[in-house]
């Protein structure tokens, strides 16, 4: 019976110790700096907002992915905080629909954040 109490005490203390440590890490990641690595791990990609000045049928804003040089056409998207040439972090999903324009593929913007660079 005494061994059962000791085992229960050890298990309880270890759960508390590891549980407190994991919540500290979660708080640090939420309050810590938003580094490139943390954004990339959370599914964001580096991109640049550009105004569409052509009559190609695309929306008024096109998004250029920095790493792949791919051009994206955000459907039903209005971003008033940015300007042409604004660096952003982008989380998006591809759409299965016919392209509105020949130079970009349609996407749905899930999340967008300004990127300092």
């Amino acid at each position: 019976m005494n061994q059962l109490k000791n085992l229960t005490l050890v298990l309880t203390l270890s759960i508390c110790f590891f549980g407190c440590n994991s919540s500290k890490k979660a708080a640090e990641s939420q309050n810590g700096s938003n580094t490139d690595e943390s954004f990339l791990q959370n599914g964001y990609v580096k991109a640049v907002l550009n105004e569409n000045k052509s009559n190609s049928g695309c929306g008024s804003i096109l998004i250029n992915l920095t790493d792949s040089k791919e051009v994206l056409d955000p459907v039903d998207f209005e971003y008033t905080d940015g300007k042409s040439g604004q660096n952003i972090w982008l989380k998006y999903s591809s759409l299965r629909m016919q392209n509105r324009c020949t130079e970009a593929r349609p996407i749905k913007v899930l999340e967008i954040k300004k990127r300092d660079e």
Side-chain angles (χ1 to χ4, degrees), residues 66-80:
T66 305
D67 295 334
S68 69
K69 306 296 184 201
E70 187 175 4
V71 181
L72 305 175
D73 176 21
V75 177
D76 296 331
F77 174 73
E78 291 183 29
Y79 186 65
T80 57

Side-chain angles (χ1 to χ4, degrees), residues 14-34:
S14 63
I15 290 171
C16 289
F17 176 74
F18 289 116
C20 292
N21 194 17
S22 66
S23 65
K24 182 178 177 183
K25 288 179 184 177
E28 286 175 359
S29 68
Q30 289 176 355
N31 296 332
S33 64
N34 290 329

Side-chain angles (χ1 to χ4, degrees), residues 30-71:
Q30 289 176 355
N31 296 332
S33 64
N34 290 329
T35 61
D36 287 2
E37 186 177 315
S38 67
F39 276 109
L40 293 172
Q41 287 177 350
N42 288 321
Y44 289 90
V45 293
K46 291 181 180 181
V48 179
L49 288 177
N50 289 311
E51 289 182 47
N52 181 21
K53 297 178 182 174
S54 67
N55 286 335
S56 60
C58 297
S60 61
I61 295 175
L62 294 178
I63 300 174
N64 293 54
L65 296 182
T66 305
D67 295 334
S68 69
K69 306 296 184 201
E70 187 175 4
V71 181

